[in-house]
Amino acid sequence: MELNTIKPAEGAKHAKRRVGRGIGSGLGKTAGRGHKGQKSRAGGFHKVGFEGGQMPLQRRLPKRGFKSQSLKFNAEVSLTALDKLGLAEVDLLALKQAGLVGQLAKVVKVIKSGELTKAVKLTGIGATEGAKAAIEAAGGSLA
């Protein structure tokens, strides 16, 4: 291969469509825009979602719900999951490595769901009132 023989891949390049250049070009006269109407005029187009004056779909349908963007940074861990984890000290990194919370999680809270038999020390992790009582009853602590 020589530098002077390099060519783009087959079909990668194609000629620009030149409109309004006479009958012989195949795109003369109306230049591919058809006859009359809003779409044939210069600058004649409508905004996205416009339906010719009919009430647009996005306005006909009722507004409903809201999904907070901060939800993806929050996560929950149950007492059962902590028990199965079997670590004496648990922090955010340990939970991420175990796959109990997502990689994006920044705020983690332990919820009272299931039982905890082992003593667990939580660092940088919150807990609900019931979960806190269950952790302390099992001999663990929160920091």
Side-chain angles (χ1 to χ4, degrees), residues 100-115:
L100 289 176
V101 296
Q103 291 300 316
L104 288 175
K106 288 183 179 149
V107 180
V108 177
K109 205 171 208 183
V110 179
I111 56 169
K112 188 180 181 231
S113 172
E115 299 294 315

Side-chain angles (χ1 to χ4, degrees), residues 2 4 6 11 17 32 59 69 78-79 83 88 93 98 108 127 133 135:
E2 307 287 316
N4 63 333
I6 295 174
R17 184 167 72 157
R59 290 192 56 203
Q69 287 301 303
S78 66
L79 288 174
D83 205 36
L93 190 65
V108 177
I135 290 165

Side-chain angles (χ1 to χ4, degrees), residues 8 23 26 40 48-49 56 58 60 70 77 85 88 92 96-98 101 119 121 124 143:
I23 290 172
S40 74
V48 175
Q58 76 269 21
R60 280 191 304 239
S70 65
V77 178
L85 192 59
L92 186 57
K96 282 183 181 180
Q97 286 170 342
V101 296
K121 184 179 184 230

Side-chain angles (χ1 to χ4, degrees), residues 6-17:
I6 295 174
K7 285 196 171 105
E10 196 62 43
K13 298 282 221 173
H14 51 87
K16 193 95 171 87
R17 184 167 72 157

Side-chain angles (χ1 to χ4, degrees), residues 70-92:
S70 65
L71 278 177
K72 60 186 167 199
F73 301 114
N74 299 342
E76 295 178 345
V77 178
S78 66
L79 288 174
T80 313
L82 274 183
D83 205 36
K84 283 182 184 170
L85 192 59
L87 295 174
E89 286 197 31
V90 177
D91 61 348
L92 186 57

Side-chain angles (χ1 to χ4, degrees), residues 17 19-23 25-36 39-41:
R17 184 167 72 157
V19 297
R21 290 292 178 273
I23 290 172
S25 70
L27 287 167
K29 197 187 171 205
T30 54
R33 287 167 169 260
H35 291 277
K36 294 186 182 175
K39 289 182 179 178
S40 74
R41 320 258 184 229

Side-chain angles (χ1 to χ4, degrees), residues 38 45-58:
Q38 190 177 21
F45 227 76
H46 49 76
K47 63 184 176 218
V48 175
F50 184 70
E51 296 183 21
Q54 172 177 297
M55 188 60 70
L57 185 68
Q58 76 269 21

